[in-house]
Amino acid sequence: MIIGAGIGGLALAQALHHGGIEVSVHDRDPQVGATGGYRLHLDDRACEVLRRHLSPQHYHALLASSVSRASLRRYTWADHHLRPLVTRPSDQGTDTLMIGRVPLRTLLTHGLDDQVRFGAEYVSHEVLSDGRVTAHFADGSTDTADVLVGADGTRSRVAASLAGRELADPIGFGGIAARTPLTARTRDLLPDIVNDGPVLALGLKGASVFMQVHDPSGGPAIDPASCTTVPAITEAPSLVWGLSATETVLPPPPCRG
């Protein structure tokens, strides 16, 4: 039983499922698409894990849902006027996946069918006399398994329950992640520096802004039409960006229990 249907929890569920081990996954999100929509860059080690535990057709769909590596020619660190400070060419010789978090998460649920339950908020668990574990959820339901895995993020309730205290402490630094749809109008506003890859602009007093164009429709890794067994998911083009700064200049985060 896995608490948390994020990338890690779903990847583990796929590995167990394909290994013939019965698995259930519970997540408090109402549905698979209710998650942050930023882009993820998976390196060769992550790609190897996915290739090992997914069918070739399944991994093929991940490639078709990602952006071509040709769009990642270099990494740039710039000042707050977007003047380059340091650039580093990307390694074109290793496997990589540049894919939106929503398509990746959605595709990782493929084939798990009713083994993934959304709208299931973990509250607590208890170890039974036979060694098995029963998890209790906010809606009053329960699930029992031989092993309980906490894959519910940085502020993991499972980990806190095991430790008897919160394990994540605020450090006075936070961020805001967002994406801006790329239309004919907004494309004209993009600085040239973002055309070759991600940019991290370092500002004053520890603030920084990250920017990267995400356009699967303009150049997917492989043709989505070739995915007949597991359909690819092509996102609309956008500018993925994020602001990082001390919490004194950021609005308070929303409460989520």
Side-chain angles (χ1 to χ4, degrees):
M1 173 171 44
I2 300 170
I3 306 300
I7 306 306
L10 290 174
L12 174 60
Q14 288 284 355
L16 294 171
H17 176 69
H18 286 279
I21 299 174
E22 184 179 354
V23 60
S24 63
V25 186
H26 304 268
D27 195 280
R28 63 181 178 178
D29 286 344
Q31 45 93 12
V32 67
T35 186
Y38 49 86
R39 174 165 122 179
L40 297 174
H41 181 188
L42 279 63
D43 64 12
D44 56 328
R45 295 168 296 177
C47 290
E48 172 58 27
V49 169
L50 293 175
R51 272 201 312 270
R52 186 187 315 139
H53 297 297
L54 301 178
S55 69
Q57 297 85 357
H58 202 163
Y59 188 74
H60 193 81
L62 287 178
L63 289 173
S65 304
S66 67
V67 178
S68 170
R69 66 190 312 153
S71 66
L72 180 61
R73 290 186 284 273
R74 66 183 182 184
Y75 302 88
T76 301
W77 288 261
D79 66 12
H80 58 289
H81 292 292
L82 291 183
R83 295 175 298 204
L85 299 172
V86 179
T87 61
R88 180 171 67 85
S90 66
D91 186 354
Q92 298 289 322
T94 58
D95 289 339
T96 187
L97 273 175
M98 294 178 291
I99 185 170
R101 185 178 180 87
V102 172
L104 177 58
R105 190 187 193 197
T106 302
L107 286 168
L108 285 178
T109 63
H110 183 87
L112 295 177
D113 302 321
D114 57 357
Q115 293 165 271
V116 181
R117 187 167 73 102
F118 287 100
E121 182 178 354
Y122 166 89
V123 175
S124 63
H125 69 269
E126 59 180 319
V127 180
L128 306 180
S129 59
D130 60 2
R132 294 186 301 160
V133 183
T134 292
H136 299 266
F137 300 94
D139 62 0
S141 63
T142 62
D143 191 15
T144 300
D146 296 312
V147 177
L148 173 69
V149 177
D152 49 339
T154 303
R155 299 182 65 86
S156 170
R157 291 186 180 181
V158 176
S161 179
L162 289 170
R165 61 180 178 86
E166 289 287 341
L167 297 179
D169 294 321
I171 60 173
F173 202 79
I176 300 171
R179 60 195 308 168
T180 301
L182 287 181
T183 63
R185 184 179 67 84
T186 56
R187 280 186 186 275
D188 289 340
L189 301 175
L190 292 180
D192 292 337
I193 197 172
V194 302
N195 291 329
D196 291 331
V199 176
L200 180 63
L202 306 173
L204 305 176
K205 298 181 179 180
S208 64
V209 173
F210 173 84
M211 295 179 291
Q212 184 170 22
V213 172
H214 179 61
D215 189 2
S217 63
I222 60 175
D223 185 4
S226 64
C227 300
T228 55
T229 304
V230 182
I233 302 173
T234 302
E235 291 187 296
S238 63
L239 177 71
V240 179
W241 60 272
L243 166 68
S244 298
T246 59
E247 292 182 347
T248 56
V249 300
L250 293 174
C255 293
R256 200 183 172 187

